[in-house]
Amino acid sequence: MNKIGFNVLAWSAIVSDQLRPVIERLGKTGYDGVEFLIGAPDDKAYKQVGDYTASLGLATTAVFVLGPDENPVDPSAAVRNKALEKIKWTIDRAHDLRATVLCGPFHSAFTTFTKRAPTADEYAWSAEVLHQAGDHAAQAGILLTPEAVNRFECYLCNTMEQLARLVQQTAHPNVKAMFDTHHANIEEKKLGDAITQIASLLGHVHISENDRGTPGSGHVPWDEVFSTLARVNYKGWLTIEGFTRNDPDFANSIGVWREFSEPWNMAENGLKLIKDMCVKHGLV
């Protein structure tokens, strides 16, 4: 069965007890789980929040990014090793959260560019790091799902074609692919074709409107998305990721300069969209 989740980045990038009222309300709203960003160094907070989330009967997933000093595609083996160690640390924090999926564009450093197209060496370096990380993830019972993101945030994997190349080269059962409708809306010609291309490798899906506001309020072709997911028999999370300026530091880091939608509008109306589309297209 597909589960529906909501990413709490709409409120905060910091995992802490301050998120408890949000987590509780998401459960009461009808969500199956909650997604958290892993980044803050307070190790204990992840277990505390993970235990609390589980006590409400909710599952968890997690997301993270890497910086330029821990870049899996850096020419320096020392930097690539730092990337692997950071991914392993993040896997451990995801385990503390009781997460089963860890997603994000961690195939390479976020917003770090070389002023040229990706090279075969870079795909090979990233695949090597991801394969080793997959071994660590397997021990924690976690699925790694690297994400293709738009050209303004990375250059290694913008499309499902590039992401499929990387995941196939990684060749690890605990490393699959993630599809995000926001990024695909920018980079893919047809979202249905992109989903079909990645279907055999697909492990996680983000439901995100073209402007990162409430799903259903913009121009993402939701019928095409959900009918294709049903046709390829996708079984996994459908998690809403929408952004606001509630956490200014995080918003500034990803170029969010205005409010797209109020968080509970995203959560309530986005959930309705997903449920309606699942019923309409037989995605259960």
Side-chain angles (χ1 to χ4, degrees), residues 151-170:
R151 69 194 74 174
F152 308 108
E153 296 181 359
C154 91
Y155 69 97
L156 188 76
C157 290
N158 301 136
T159 66
M160 292 303 104
E161 180 180 7
Q162 292 173 308
L163 186 59
R165 170 185 176 176
L166 176 62
V167 173
Q168 288 168 344
Q169 194 167 346
T170 301

Side-chain angles (χ1 to χ4, degrees), residues 102-152:
L102 182 57
C103 66
F106 51 87
H107 42 66
S108 54
F110 188 68
T111 60
T112 300
F113 301 95
T114 60
K115 298 184 180 181
R116 54 161 172 70
T119 67
D121 281 343
E122 288 171 326
Y123 282 108
W125 290 332
S126 183
E128 181 181 15
V129 170
L130 290 175
H131 189 94
Q132 294 177 76
D135 288 341
H136 194 73
Q139 296 175 18
I142 291 173
L143 180 68
L144 301 180
T145 57
E147 173 186 13
V149 299
N150 68 73
R151 69 194 74 174
F152 308 108

Side-chain angles (χ1 to χ4, degrees), residues 1 22 31 38 42 53 75 79 109-110 131 147 215 243 258 274:
M1 298 291 291
V22 171
Y31 282 91
I38 298 178
D42 184 1
T53 305
V79 174
F110 188 68
H131 189 94
E147 173 186 13
F243 297 147
R258 59 188 171 86
I274 293 175

